[in-house]
Amino acid sequence: MTTLLYSHPICIEHDPGRGHPECPDRLRSVMAGFEDGDFAALERHEAPVIELKEIEQVHKIGRAHV
């Protein structure tokens, strides 16, 4: 079975604020970990840019967060 990793370079720019665990440094660390030989078979793809309406099909998004 193949495992896919979808990511996009712009994800590094997402900063939810000081002290939040989902920070750019954490993402950099995770992505660096995937460079280890144990993950050589990981199939990597750049995530496409999509419209907000496509996200809303699977996630409830409050307008205050947009």
Side-chain angles (χ1 to χ4, degrees):
M1 178 191 320
T2 302
T3 302
L4 304 177
L5 170 65
Y6 281 89
S7 188
H8 194 280
I10 200 165
C11 293
I12 293 293
E13 296 178 24
H14 176 70
D15 188 352
R18 186 176 176 187
H20 194 284
E22 295 297 328
C23 63
D25 286 339
R26 181 171 185 254
L27 180 57
R28 283 185 196 96
S29 179
V30 168
M31 296 305 284
F34 284 141
E35 296 304 317
D36 184 274
D38 290 339
F39 296 98
L42 188 63
E43 192 171 317
R44 302 148 203 268
H45 296 276
E46 186 169 296
V49 176
I50 62 173
E51 297 292 325
L52 183 58
K53 66 182 177 181
E54 294 173 276
I55 296 171
E56 290 175 327
Q57 291 177 8
V58 295
H59 292 284
K60 182 178 180 182
I61 300 174
R63 289 293 166 191
H65 296 102
V66 178

